[in-house]
Amino acid sequence: MQPLVLDLFKKAADLPEEDRATLAGLLIETLDTEKEEGVEKAWQAEVQRRLSELDSGSVKTVPWESVRARILKRPHDSQS
């Protein structure tokens, strides 16, 4: 890792969690420069569908801590 990148990482790691998440999202957006036609509209429809499911009570949320614990208990895939 280049010294400048390491320095930026250290500074970013000291930010509050919400700011780190915002920064991560902004950085990821800079990597995805080629937009496929219809993808944004499809994501908007998917978000609306999921929100409707939550609002209607047809799906149940799972706390992140529970999901994380299940992921960490899984055996690691040797092909990763």
Side-chain angles (χ1 to χ4, degrees), residues 4 8 11-12 17 26 32 43-44 46 48 50 65 69 72 78:
L4 176 59
L8 287 171
K11 289 178 181 175
E17 184 175 340
L26 291 170
D32 191 15
W43 270 116
Q44 288 174 355
E46 179 66 14
Q48 276 306 118
R50 292 181 186 197
E65 294 78 16
L72 293 175
S78 60

Side-chain angles (χ1 to χ4, degrees), residues 42-61:
W43 270 116
Q44 288 174 355
E46 179 66 14
V47 168
Q48 276 306 118
R49 182 186 69 77
R50 292 181 186 197
L51 285 172
S52 294
E53 288 178 340
L54 286 169
D55 290 342
S56 72
S58 64
V59 296
K60 181 180 163 190
T61 60

Side-chain angles (χ1 to χ4, degrees), residues 5-25:
V5 174
L6 185 58
D7 183 51
L8 287 171
F9 171 76
K10 287 177 182 177
K11 289 178 181 175
D14 287 338
L15 293 171
E17 184 175 340
E18 186 175 335
D19 291 342
R20 289 193 322 267
T22 300
L23 179 58

